[in-house]
């Protein structure tokens, strides 16, 4: 789906400063019968009514009148307003002329007038695509408004600064800017209060806090005095619903936007959403209603950007001439402003249009043109798209070496921009699964075509490691990972590491044992076949009365493991799972005679580069153990947790927190003050594909993953957490990527190793396994991998818990030594 920025609030002193402009051509004769202040006020009234041309004429008269009187303060005010109207009308050079004409008089006017000029300067800079310069201008405006005691000016400036920061992906900073002026908002007019609330909502939406975003928009809508301002709220609200996949609520919210620019944007969004949902007939019915949106939208970057997005939505409907016309117009508009970002975006999209039409030569020429501009202007978020597109085109033309080079460049750019890209999601033109993940997979697929040598295998493995890091960075919305090269031989000479790579048409597996070159095999299994097998295996494993799981367990063993074990031997198998394979317990794979857990120590890691390779320290084992036995927040009781933590207390030194004693504050104090190397949390928890829905239950609430990370890192390095055990968690039902939350928890929590469960099993079986785990850990020289393996084998040996439903979901993530 094409994603667009929602309407943002700019330049509130004189209206919505979106991308616009005007002309100062012609004489500015002062009307001696009417004072300039009257022209100024009448111009403001006309501007509010949408009569921008009339407002321009009146402000020109006001500027000339003030000049004739020698009133520099009034002249600066009128010229600033002229620049506002100029931007609105799309006449950029004239807007610049108005600002420059006022500049010589700036030092001699009031602080409020200086603030107004710098405010308008910031809006002009943002409109031409210079957010850094815009922020600098608004910071100066803020200083002048502060001197003048202009609270409304301070709030307007904060709203604009926040919008620019969001365009740069700096959402947290945007929130801080808005929060800083919150005490001033109550003393401003209702319209400005509503604008501040709307800006707050947009930041919360970008930070993926939907309840706070919606609450802010409800307040904004109640404060909005005009249909146009309410439409702006509805547009932002609809964008949030769209990004959350709520098709019908998003369409309904867009339909509520009744008038103004926001309504025009909402109509475009409705069209794009219907196209993305494959509702072509409904989308085409909207086309007649879209004919006049270009007249409603003000000239400038926003309108040109929307033309590009609209063209992208026309492609699936095979309306290529109409798409070409929109892109050609966007290019012409951008050239008049020298807007190089829109030029690169439009040229590259036009190249994609020709790619769709199989005109590969023209497509490549346009793509190179867009890429050259993106590289010259250091627009990496566009550059990687055109590098990727060029790689596809060269592959289609049979130039595989050129294609691989282009794909490598795209991946290198993505690795450089990783944090910036995820910071901009979800409201920017960005979707990880659609726009980033395929670049890595397609490069890996190219490298592994035919009979790849060691160089290609090494590069493909590196691509997989980079993809894992990119997925986790996208998961956390923060480039918080520290990666460093690691040699397997230096970690464990008896381990084999396997990298399954899920490609649309096949499954590739790269594997390595220490001291030997990388090896690889492939299986003719499509992504759809693999995902169906994984889904069925998960369903079968959840039925402890059935042996149906053996079919899928043996099939996945044959696909993933058997060819590697036919060539080499190992004591430990380390999996770097990809895609749907994160959802299976590898210990339950079956070779026809035995489970993998009966033959090998099993570990899972997002990649060697993210592995903390230090072995379990020799310090005495002890645990901070916390759990809930009673039902809380709709979750069922866990009565055997009491026995589980009691057995921990009997087995080793421990600090125990149960039920009312297990609050976030109590847990924080226990971790900080108790130097035990193990933290054991026996409580309900959920892993999800979104960090917001990954949590652990405490007596007083939900402990989010970032809060858990903060708690576990309260200690210094010498007393770091060796092992985190989450014994009653599960992956979110119906979430195919939920296990990404499990990997994310293991990496981000700060512990060297994590033992957690893919699904929730009976708390009695869990208690049995945990007792065995601790018994094994206390044995001399027991590794984490062998401790879990022996605990699982102990349950396997029992009649009651032999079924993998009971023991297989417990996985070891991270260091297995």
């Amino acid at each position: 789906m094409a994603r667009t920025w929602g309407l943002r609030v700019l330049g509130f002193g004189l209206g919505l400063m979106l991308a616009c402009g005007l002309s100062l051509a012609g004489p500015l004769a002062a009307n001696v019968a009417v004072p300039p202040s009257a022209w100024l006020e009448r111009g403001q009234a006309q501007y509010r009514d949408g009569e921008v041309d009339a407002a321009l004429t009146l402000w020109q008269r006001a500027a000339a009148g003030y000049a004739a009187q020698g009133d520099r303060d009034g002249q600066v005010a009128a010229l600033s307003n002229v620049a506002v109207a100029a931007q609105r009308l799309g006449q950029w050079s004239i807007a610049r002329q108005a600002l420059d004409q006022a500049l010589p008089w700036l030092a001699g006017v009031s602080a409020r007038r200086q603030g107004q000029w710098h405010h308008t300067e910031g809006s002009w800079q943002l409109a031409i695509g210079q957010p850094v310069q815009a922020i600098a201008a608004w910071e100066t405006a803020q200083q002048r408004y502060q001197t003048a005691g202009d609270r409304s000016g301070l709030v307007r400036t904060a709203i604009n600064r926040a919008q620019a920061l969001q365009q740069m992906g700096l959402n947290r900073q945007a929130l801080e800017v808005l929060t800083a002026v919150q005490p001033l908002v109550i003393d401003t007019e209702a319209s400005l209060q509503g604008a501040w609330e709307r800006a707050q909502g947009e930041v919360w939406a970008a930070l993926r806090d939907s309840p706070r975003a919606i609450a802010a928009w409800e307040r904004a809508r109640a404060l909005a005095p005009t249909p146009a301002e309410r439409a702006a709220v509805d547009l932002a609200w609809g964008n949030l619903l769209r990004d959350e996949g709520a098709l019908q609520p998003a369409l309904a919210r867009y339909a509520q936007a009744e008038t103004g620019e926001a309504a025009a944007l909402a109509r475009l969004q409705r069209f794009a959403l219907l196209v993305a949902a494959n509702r072509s007939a409904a989308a085409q019915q909207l086309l007649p209603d879209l004919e006049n949106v270009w007249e409603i939208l003000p000239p400038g970057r926003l309108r040109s950007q929307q033309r590009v997005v609209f063209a992208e939505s026309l492609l699936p409907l095979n309306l290529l001439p109409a798409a070409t016309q929109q892109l050609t117009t966007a290019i012409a508009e951008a050239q008049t402003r020298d807007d190089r970002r829109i030029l690169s975006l439009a040229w590259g999209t036009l190249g994609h249009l020709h790619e769709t039409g199989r005109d590969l030569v023209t497509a490549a020429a346009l793509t190179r043109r867009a890429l050259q501009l993106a590289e010259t202007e250091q627009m990496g978020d566009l550059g990687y798209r055109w590098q990727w597109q060029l790689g596809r085109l060269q592959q289609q033309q049979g130039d595989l070496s050129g294609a691989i080079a282009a794909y490598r460049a795209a991946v290198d750019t993505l690795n450089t921009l990783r944090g910036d890209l995820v910071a901009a999601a979800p409201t920017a033109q960005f979707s990880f699964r659609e726009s980033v993940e395929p670049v890595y997979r397609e490069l890996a697929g190219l490298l592994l075509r035919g009979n790849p040598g060691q160089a290609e295998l090494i590069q493909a493995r590196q691509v997989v490691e980079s993809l894992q890091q990119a997925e986790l960075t996208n998961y956390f919305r923060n480039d918080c990972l520290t990666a460093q090269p690691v040699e397997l031989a230096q970690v464990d000479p008896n381990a084999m590491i396997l990298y399954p790579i899920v490609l649309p048409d096949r499954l590739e597996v790269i594997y390595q044992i220490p001291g030997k070159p990388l090896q690889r095999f492939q299986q003719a299994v499509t992504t759809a076949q693999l995902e169906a097998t994984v889904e069925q295996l998960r369903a079968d494993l959840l039925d402890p009365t059935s042996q149906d799981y053996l079919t899928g367990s043996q099939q996945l063993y044959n696909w993933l493991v058997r060819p590697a074990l036919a060539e080499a031997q190992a004591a430990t198998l380390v999996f770097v799972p990809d895609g749907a394979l994160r959802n299976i317990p590898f210990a339950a794979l079956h070779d026809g005679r035995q489970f993998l857990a009966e033959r090998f120590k099993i570990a899972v890691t997002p990649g060697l580069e993210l592995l903390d390779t230090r072995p379990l320290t020799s310090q005495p084992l002890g645990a901070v153990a916390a759990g809930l036995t009673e039902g809380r927040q709709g979750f069922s009781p866990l009565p055997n947790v009491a026995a589980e933590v009691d057995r921990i207390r009997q087995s080793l030194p421990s600090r125990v927190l149960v039920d009312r004693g297990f609050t976030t504050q109590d847990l924080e104090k226990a971790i900080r003050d108790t130097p035990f190397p193990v933290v054991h949390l026996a409580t309900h928890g959920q892993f999800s594909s979104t960090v917001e829905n990954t949590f652990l239950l405490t007596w007083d609430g939900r402990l989010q993953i970032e809060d858990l990370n903060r708690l576990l890192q309260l200690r210094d390095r010498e007393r770091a957490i060796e092992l985190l055990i989450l014994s009653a968690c599960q992956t979110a039902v119906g979430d195919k990527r939920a296990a990404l939350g499990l990997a994310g928890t293991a990496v981000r929590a700060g512990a060297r190793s994590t033992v957690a469960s893919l699904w929730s099993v009976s708390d009695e079986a869990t208690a049995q396994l945990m007792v065995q785990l601790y018994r094994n850990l206390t044995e001399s020289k027991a590794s984490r991998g062998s401790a879990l393996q022996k605990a699982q084998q102990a349950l396997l040996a029992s009649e009651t818990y032999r079924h993998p439903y009971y023991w297989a979901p417990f996985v070891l993530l991270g260091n297995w030594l």
Side-chain angles (χ1 to χ4, degrees):
M1 178 197 304
R3 299 194 171 208
T4 64
W5 285 103
L7 187 67
R8 295 294 201 270
V9 182
L10 298 176
F12 255 75
L14 300 167
L16 290 177
M17 292 185 186
L18 297 168
C20 331
L22 115 147
S23 173
L24 294 180
L28 298 179
N31 188 320
V32 295
V34 179
S37 59
W39 297 126
L40 192 69
E41 291 174 5
R42 290 181 188 179
Q44 290 172 343
Q46 295 278 23
Y47 189 88
R48 284 194 296 269
D49 291 339
E51 300 294 335
V52 181
D53 285 300
L56 167 59
T57 301
L58 291 167
W59 285 334
Q60 287 174 328
R61 292 176 182 174
Y66 282 125
Q69 294 177 358
D71 184 344
R72 301 309 184 196
D73 196 85
Q75 189 178 6
V76 169
L79 288 169
S80 295
N81 288 11
V82 164
V84 169
Q87 293 179 58
R88 183 81 172 185
L89 294 172
Q91 300 177 22
W92 302 98
S93 62
I94 305 305
R96 182 71 262 166
Q97 181 184 342
L99 289 167
D100 291 343
Q101 188 176 341
L103 188 58
W105 318 116
L106 205 57
V109 301
S110 66
R112 187 174 186 276
R113 288 288 175 257
Q114 292 179 35
Q116 181 185 359
W117 185 92
H118 286 290
H119 198 131
T120 308
E121 169 74 11
S123 297
W124 186 85
Q125 292 288 354
L126 189 67
I128 65 169
Q130 301 295 332
V132 175
Q133 291 87 333
I135 289 172
W138 284 326
E139 287 174 345
T140 304
Q142 180 181 18
Q143 295 168 6
R144 302 299 186 268
Y145 286 138
Q146 187 75 46
T147 301
D150 187 341
R151 293 192 167 201
S152 294
L154 288 169
V155 173
R156 294 177 188 122
T157 303
I159 292 170
N160 290 357
R161 286 176 60 201
Q163 191 266 348
L165 288 166
Q166 279 196 272
Q167 285 198 9
M168 298 167 66
L170 303 174
N171 296 311
R172 287 289 177 189
Q173 291 185 32
L175 183 61
E176 291 171 3
V177 167
L178 291 171
T179 303
V181 298
Q182 186 170 6
L184 308 178
V185 174
I186 193 64
D187 295 326
T188 63
E189 63 270 24
S191 177
L192 188 53
Q193 292 180 40
W196 182 85
E197 291 285 5
R198 184 165 88 245
Q200 279 264 104
E202 293 197 12
V203 175
W204 285 123
L207 293 171
R208 303 205 303 183
D209 192 331
S210 298
R212 285 182 173 176
I214 291 171
W217 288 330
E218 287 174 339
R219 295 190 295 270
R221 212 174 190 284
L223 288 163
T226 66
E229 289 171 278
R230 289 191 292 275
V233 177
D234 290 327
L235 173 65
W237 200 331
N239 288 343
L240 173 65
L241 294 168
R242 173 206 63 196
D243 291 335
E244 292 181 338
L247 175 63
Q248 287 305 131
L251 292 171
R253 182 57 64 175
Y254 287 142
Q256 290 189 45
E258 298 174 357
T259 186
E261 296 158 16
L265 289 169
R267 282 150 62 188
L268 288 169
Q269 295 284 29
R270 287 178 65 198
F271 175 77
L273 191 54
L274 289 169
V275 172
N278 295 318
R279 292 175 56 178
S280 300
Q284 289 184 322
Q285 289 177 359
L286 291 180
L287 285 173
D289 295 333
L290 298 178
E291 291 178 358
N292 70 334
V293 296
W294 313 113
E295 300 172 5
I296 298 172
L297 292 177
R301 170 172 287 192
L302 177 67
R303 186 170 73 180
S304 301
Q305 183 185 53
Q306 290 302 310
R307 289 190 188 278
V308 176
V309 173
F310 184 53
E312 290 175 334
S313 298
L314 291 171
L315 290 182
L317 303 180
N318 202 32
L319 299 174
L320 301 188
T324 302
Q325 180 183 2
Q326 290 295 334
L327 292 170
T328 303
T329 304
I331 290 169
E333 291 176 345
Q335 287 172 331
T336 64
R337 302 187 308 272
D338 192 27
D339 190 335
R340 300 187 178 191
R341 181 174 183 83
I342 294 298
L343 282 172
S344 177
L345 181 63
W347 279 331
T349 305
L350 190 57
H352 176 54
L353 185 149
H354 283 277
E355 178 188 11
T356 303
R358 302 298 300 167
D359 183 359
L360 302 183
V361 174
T362 303
L366 286 164
T367 302
R368 287 190 173 95
R369 191 174 187 182
L371 176 58
Q372 182 180 16
L373 190 54
E375 290 177 338
T376 300
E377 299 298 319
Q378 297 183 324
M379 298 180 293
D381 59 321
L382 292 180
Y384 95 85
R385 290 176 57 182
W386 312 141
Q387 289 161 340
W388 176 24
Q389 185 164 292
L390 187 59
R392 295 196 309 268
L393 291 166
Q394 289 176 311
Q395 182 182 2
Q396 293 174 69
Q397 292 173 310
D399 182 4
L400 292 185
S401 61
I404 289 173
Y407 268 98
R408 282 176 182 157
V411 167
D412 289 343
T413 302
L414 280 172
N415 290 341
T416 301
L417 293 175
R418 187 181 295 149
D420 295 334
L421 283 173
V422 300
T427 55
Q429 295 179 338
F430 173 79
S431 168
F432 184 86
R433 293 198 68 185
E434 298 169 1
S435 304
V436 174
E437 184 178 330
V439 183
Y440 292 90
R441 293 198 187 282
E442 289 168 19
L443 174 55
L446 281 174
L447 290 167
L448 296 174
R449 285 172 64 114
N451 187 26
Q454 276 300 297
E456 288 76 20
L457 292 177
I458 291 171
Q459 291 170 30
R461 181 183 65 176
Q462 183 57 53
V463 169
V464 173
E465 294 264 2
S466 295
L467 173 58
Q468 296 277 344
Q469 294 164 29
E471 286 185 295
L472 289 173
T473 298
N474 180 63
Y475 175 78
F476 289 117
R477 301 290 173 198
N478 183 8
D479 196 6
C480 54
L481 306 176
T482 301
Q484 55 185 4
V486 173
E487 289 294 332
L488 183 61
Q490 298 173 1
V491 178
D492 185 352
N494 299 310
M496 175 189 292
I497 188 165
L498 299 101
Y499 294 86
I501 306 170
V502 180
L503 300 175
D505 61 338
R506 67 192 191 277
L507 173 67
E508 295 273 0
V509 181
I510 298 174
Y511 65 98
Q512 181 184 22
I513 58 174
K516 292 191 176 181
L518 291 175
Q519 300 181 67
R520 158 260 191 181
F521 60 88
Q522 66 174 227
Q523 306 284 6
V525 182
T526 66
T527 298
Q529 289 174 308
L530 181 68
E531 289 180 348
T533 303
V534 167
E535 187 175 351
Q536 186 61 53
L537 174 61
R538 276 291 300 258
D540 292 339
L541 286 170
L542 292 176
D543 182 0
T545 66
S546 170
Q547 300 295 311
D548 291 346
Y549 67 85
L550 283 171
T551 300
S553 177
Q554 292 175 8
Q555 181 65 79
L556 287 169
Y557 175 88
N558 291 335
W559 284 344
L560 297 169
V561 181
R562 187 180 294 278
L565 293 181
E567 299 293 332
Q569 297 299 314
T572 302
L573 299 182
V574 181
F575 292 90
V576 182
D578 182 30
L581 294 173
R582 295 190 183 98
N583 293 317
I584 63 169
F586 291 97
L589 299 190
H590 201 277
D591 66 3
R593 294 180 298 119
Q594 291 178 294
F595 293 105
L596 280 186
E598 296 179 87
R599 300 174 55 194
F600 304 98
K601 297 187 286 290
I602 306 293
V604 173
T605 177
L608 280 183
E609 293 188 357
L610 296 175
L611 185 66
D612 186 335
T613 59
R614 291 169 291 174
L616 194 64
T617 63
S618 58
Q619 63 179 299
L621 201 62
V624 173
L628 293 179
T629 66
E630 300 182 22
R632 299 291 290 174
Q633 301 180 45
F635 287 84
S636 62
L638 296 170
N640 282 291
V641 163
E644 182 178 335
V645 297
D646 189 58
R647 290 171 185 173
I648 294 171
R649 186 181 359 225
Q650 295 173 13
S651 302
L652 65 160
S654 55
R655 173 84 176 271
V656 174
L657 310 172
V658 177
D659 290 337
R660 294 180 184 275
F662 179 21
T663 66
T664 300
Q665 184 176 354
D666 292 330
L667 180 62
E668 179 175 346
K669 187 176 187 302
I671 291 174
R672 183 182 62 244
D673 299 342
T674 310
F676 294 145
V678 177
V679 172
H680 183 124
L681 303 178
T683 179
H684 284 294
Q686 178 173 279
F687 305 116
S688 167
S689 59
T690 61
V691 69
E692 295 82 5
N693 293 321
T694 296
F695 62 88
L696 301 173
L697 206 64
T698 63
W699 181 264
D700 59 341
R702 295 184 176 187
L703 186 64
Q704 304 295 141
I705 184 173
E706 293 293 349
D707 296 323
L708 177 63
N709 172 57
R710 178 182 59 82
L711 294 184
L712 294 180
Q713 294 189 358
L714 288 171
R715 300 184 188 173
D716 54 39
R717 186 176 179 87
E718 287 69 27
R719 300 188 306 145
I721 305 298
E722 295 278 357
L723 181 60
L724 171 65
I725 297 177
L726 308 172
S727 65
C729 297
Q730 62 183 347
T731 51
V733 176
D735 187 343
K736 292 183 178 180
R737 295 167 65 85
L740 187 63
L742 180 57
T745 300
V747 170
R748 189 71 171 127
R752 295 175 185 171
S753 302
T754 299
V755 172
S757 52
L758 285 170
W759 60 79
S760 181
V761 302
S762 72
D763 55 334
E764 174 58 29
T766 300
Q768 291 281 351
L769 186 136
M770 290 301 150
V771 169
Q772 291 292 335
L773 177 65
Y774 281 109
R775 184 177 299 162
N776 299 332
L777 285 171
T778 56
E779 293 178 358
S780 176
K781 299 181 180 180
S783 70
R784 284 163 272 206
S786 63
L788 179 60
Q789 180 194 20
K790 291 178 181 178
Q792 291 176 320
Q793 288 175 345
L795 266 67
L796 252 169
S798 71
E799 285 297 324
T800 306
Y801 301 121
R802 177 168 178 76
H803 194 283
Y805 163 80
Y806 296 105
W807 54 264
F810 296 95
V811 296
L812 174 64
L813 298 108
N815 195 323
W816 61 90
L817 301 177

